[in-house]
Amino acid sequence: MKRRETEEAEETTGAAVLAPIVATAAAAFVFWWLTKYSTICERDIIGTAITVWCAVVIRIMLWAEKEEAE
């Protein structure tokens, strides 16, 4: 017996596509800026860049949810 798929495909919003791209650019900029101007150690710089990446992704996704709700 053939199994039917009942789930509908979710639409991908522009923000869902844009979030990782913007976050990667922001994290790369932070990494570059900190390596150029900071005296903190490399591990802290990488941690900060990862934190920035996560924060940007979360912020854009929350913004997208707000826009969809309106």
Side-chain angles (χ1 to χ4, degrees):
M1 182 173 189
K2 194 172 189 180
R3 201 172 138 194
R4 293 183 187 178
E5 292 185 25
T6 58
E7 295 179 23
E8 293 181 19
E10 290 185 23
E11 291 184 26
T12 303
T13 63
V17 173
L18 190 62
I21 296 168
V22 173
T24 301
F29 172 76
V30 167
F31 184 81
W32 169 81
W33 189 86
L34 287 174
T35 55
K36 188 168 184 171
Y37 297 110
S38 181
T39 58
I40 62 177
C41 71
E42 183 178 316
R43 191 180 89 204
D44 292 336
I45 292 171
I46 292 170
T48 302
I50 291 168
T51 302
V52 167
W53 190 91
C54 293
V56 171
V57 166
I58 290 168
R59 181 65 190 120
I60 291 175
M61 298 307 273
L62 289 174
W63 171 78
E65 283 183 16
K66 181 182 172 191
E67 291 293 317
E68 285 179 8
E70 292 177 352

